[in-house]
Amino acid sequence: MSKSNPANLKYTKDHEWALVEGDIVTVGITDHAQELLTEVVFAELPAIGKKVEQGKQLAAVESVKSVSDVYSPVSGEVVEVNTELEANPGLINQDAFGAGWIAKVKMSNPAELEKLMDVAAYGKVMES
Amino acid sequence: MQKTPLHAKHVALGARMVDFGGWDMPVQYGIITEEHRNTREKAGLFDICHMGELKVEGPEALALLQKAISRELGGMENGQMRLGVLCNEAGGILDDLTVYKLADEKYMVVTNASTKDGDLAQILKVQRDFGFTDAKVVDSSAVLGKLDLQGPVSQAILQPLVADDLRKLKFYHFVETEILGGYAIVSRSGYTGEDGFEIYLARDKIGVLWDKLFEIGAPLGLKPIGLGARDTLRLECAMNLYGHEMDDKVTPLECRYGWVTNLDKDFVGVDALRELKARGLGKKLVGFELVDRGIARNGYDIVAGGQKVGVVTSGTISPTLGKAIGLGYVPPHLAVEGTEIGIQIRDNVVKAQVVKLPFYKRG
């Protein structure tokens, strides 16, 4: 069963989560997303300094059978990536909301946060 | 969507089901890499009831199959099987199949699932076109079921169910025997690179056999294995998969099936293949390992010198080797071990190297 979605995060309809701390946004995929994906065997991380746009590709996570794009919840610049995932992509399965985080983006347009969902709205997306 | 007799068992086991050539099949029961390792280290059981079985009988059975299939089938002994391909006139592959010689005038041809109807149509066409009237072709797929039991412990699991001494059964040979009171064919063969068996039994007995094999096998480590691990297992052994390495635009000479293609005999497509061989191949199937991080996938471009030179047909992270491996087509001058190629993965060209096949061989 999915772990419950933390209330302090923002969500996208594509099952990414965003932790907003000042202008730094930590991004990952939700526990529901990792369940759909099954065993993650590879994570393609963005380069530090890469400019990303809201809703555009940030990273990719791959299971044995499939590839899923991870879209950035906000526009900005990648300032840090979770290099632990290079050796241990399974962290995304084990702890999607924690140790399985993917990248940190320094956001350029905080107004974009309005477009993200809170935990209640995301809960409805999961059910649909 | 079509269902095998084991469909309800897969669902009850919690399998993730997918459409595979029109069949609702289990892709995984748990974690694919664990199913993969379980097959290599102990044993795995695969529902292969979706595949097709055609029986070809009569005085002209051999002549018909010789004309339809690339492989030399003369000189087989009863109880022997061979791999071959069915080609169209242009030498393109309609299917790869195994031919079982049951008796002098009796053969069984085992086909892939989605290609079975086309294979049957092609064999009947060859029969009509070349007048092999003294042969009967019967589709037994609806009455026969098939299980693959693969892995080092397979023999210990299967032996209690058959009277024949399985130790004496050689690779790519089979016995006609009795299992659970019914007629069965058991061959020492498979699609995983491990020791193991392909078991054919009446379709209505397959559920009982599945349960019986687990009753005996579960204490020895037998697990049900889905199509996900079936794919990674065959890929480590560089075995072709129809729809990936092969289709009707690919000839057996290009996809490393030269050894099952006897150009000195007469079969449908041989003229085109002889001509192609004389002219020289335009592309060749190779194996590669990724040097940099990434996973190559079916359909990705292979690049060299900044140009697209070919395409990836299969790719994965090998659970046994822990490396990203793949198969794909490149021009012949690049089909040399050690050659560096690039794989276009999204925005990046990831470095790869042509390597010797198979990637994995049982020790």
Side-chain angles (χ1 to χ4, degrees):
Chain A
M1 280 307 292
S2 292
K3 291 166 197 155
S4 60
N5 300 308
N8 62 325
L9 304 179
K10 302 274 190 196
Y11 297 89
T12 72
K13 63 174 173 43
D14 300 309
H15 309 289
E16 289 94 12
W17 56 261
L19 172 66
V20 183
E21 293 169 304
D23 61 354
I24 301 298
V25 177
T26 305
V27 183
I29 64 169
T30 65
D31 197 62
H32 178 66
Q34 71 77 20
E35 274 200 351
L36 293 176
L37 195 62
T38 72
E39 183 191 13
V40 176
V41 294
F42 183 75
E44 183 180 283
L45 304 171
I48 305 282
K50 181 182 171 167
K51 298 277 195 296
V52 293
E53 280 179 59
Q54 185 175 43
K56 297 283 167 59
Q57 196 189 342
L58 169 70
V61 285
E62 306 198 26
S63 68
V64 173
K65 293 297 281 182
S66 67
V67 185
S68 294
D69 288 337
V70 178
Y71 302 107
S72 187
V74 292
S75 302
E77 181 183 332
V78 176
V79 291
E80 195 178 339
V81 296
N82 185 1
T83 51
E84 293 288 318
L85 296 177
E86 291 181 4
N88 189 6
L91 286 173
I92 292 173
N93 298 115
Q94 293 153 25
D95 190 8
F97 293 119
W101 67 277
I102 292 168
K104 295 188 181 187
V105 177
K106 184 174 183 186
M107 65 178 159
S108 54
N109 182 8
E112 286 177 345
L113 294 175
E114 296 299 317
K115 294 182 193 160
L116 302 180
M117 287 180 277
D118 64 12
V119 67
Y122 179 61
K124 285 183 189 131
V125 168
M126 279 175 54
E127 285 161 23
S128 65
Chain B
M1 201 147 21
Q2 300 190 79
K3 293 176 180 175
T4 77
L6 300 170
H7 187 271
K9 290 186 192 290
H10 302 319
V11 173
L13 285 165
R16 241 170 237 255
M17 306 298 286
V18 295
D19 178 357
F20 184 79
W23 291 81
D24 196 32
M25 298 296 289
V27 66
Q28 62 197 102
Y29 301 86
I31 294 171
I32 291 175
T33 51
E34 285 178 8
E35 292 178 18
H36 180 110
R37 288 192 190 98
N38 201 83
T39 307
R40 291 252 180 271
E41 289 162 15
K42 294 169 195 145
L45 192 61
F46 302 72
D47 176 5
I48 308 297
C49 291
H50 56 309
M51 282 176 65
E53 296 88 13
L54 309 175
K55 295 270 177 71
V56 183
E57 293 179 45
E60 289 188 306
L62 176 60
L64 169 57
L65 291 175
Q66 285 278 48
K67 186 73 186 176
I69 294 171
S70 65
R71 185 79 180 270
E72 175 57 54
L73 301 172
M76 285 170 79
E77 49 191 271
N78 298 342
Q80 195 182 349
M81 60 190 282
R82 278 181 188 165
L83 179 66
V85 295
L86 194 65
C87 289
N88 59 26
E89 285 290 345
I93 300 177
L94 299 172
D95 203 2
D96 64 339
L97 22 79
T98 49
V99 180
Y100 288 64
K101 185 177 182 186
L102 299 160
D104 282 348
E105 297 180 355
K106 194 174 174 190
Y107 294 81
M108 177 170 77
V109 176
V110 181
T111 76
N112 280 301
S114 62
T115 49
K116 187 260 288 176
D117 291 341
D119 293 1
L120 178 60
Q122 171 70 7
I123 292 170
L124 292 173
K125 181 178 184 299
V126 172
Q127 181 175 29
R128 275 194 317 274
D129 289 355
F130 299 94
F132 295 115
T133 47
D134 219 355
K136 193 172 72 169
V137 184
V138 178
D139 182 357
S140 300
S141 312
V143 293
L144 270 185
K146 177 175 188 277
L147 296 179
D148 284 10
L149 174 61
Q150 300 279 296
V153 189
S154 299
Q155 184 173 292
I157 294 168
L158 184 57
Q159 186 64 78
L161 296 177
V162 294
D164 306 72
D165 184 353
L166 292 175
R167 287 173 306 182
K168 293 183 181 152
L169 184 58
K170 290 182 287 183
F171 184 62
Y172 257 58
H173 284 70
F174 64 93
V175 286
E176 292 179 90
T177 185
E178 202 173 275
I179 293 180
L180 302 170
Y183 169 83
I185 293 171
V186 173
S187 62
R188 178 162 244 136
S189 54
Y191 197 49
T192 63
E194 297 304 321
D195 187 24
F197 303 92
E198 295 180 271
I199 307 163
Y200 304 82
L201 185 70
R203 212 166 175 86
D204 57 11
K205 285 196 158 71
I206 281 289
V208 184
L209 175 58
W210 174 274
D211 291 342
K212 194 74 193 170
L213 286 168
F214 278 111
E215 192 184 310
I216 300 166
L220 300 173
L222 180 66
K223 291 268 166 56
I225 311 296
L227 293 179
R230 185 169 167 85
D231 189 42
T232 53
L233 287 159
R234 69 94 195 167
L235 182 50
E236 283 186 344
C237 304
M239 293 171 173
N240 292 340
L241 174 61
Y242 198 83
H244 284 247
E245 285 69 42
M246 302 170 274
D247 59 33
D248 62 2
K249 304 288 186 289
V250 168
T251 72
L253 304 182
E254 293 155 329
C255 70
R256 305 178 62 246
Y257 266 164
W259 67 282
V260 303
T261 306
N262 294 93
L263 294 179
D264 52 354
K265 76 159 197 170
D266 178 32
F267 62 94
V268 174
V270 73
D271 293 340
L273 294 174
R274 284 174 187 154
E275 198 186 305
L276 176 64
K277 191 174 184 192
R279 197 169 66 229
L281 302 178
K283 61 179 180 182
K284 275 186 177 173
L285 186 68
V286 294
F288 58 83
E289 281 179 13
L290 268 60
V291 177
D292 293 335
R293 298 179 73 247
I295 304 179
R297 301 278 181 181
N298 175 251
Y300 286 7
D301 287 349
I302 298 178
V303 296
Q307 299 278 319
K308 176 182 174 175
V309 293
V311 65
V312 174
T313 54
S314 295
T316 194
I317 289 191
S318 158
T320 307
L321 307 171
K323 297 176 190 169
I325 58 171
L327 298 173
Y329 284 99
V330 296
H333 73 275
L334 297 176
V336 179
E337 275 168 46
T339 302
E340 193 175 288
I341 53 175
I343 311 295
Q344 183 76 47
I345 302 180
R346 294 175 283 277
D347 297 335
N348 303 311
V349 174
V350 174
K351 209 188 289 178
Q353 193 176 45
V354 176
V355 298
K356 189 168 182 249
L357 292 175
F359 302 102
Y360 164 85
K361 198 164 187 197
R362 157 165 51 116

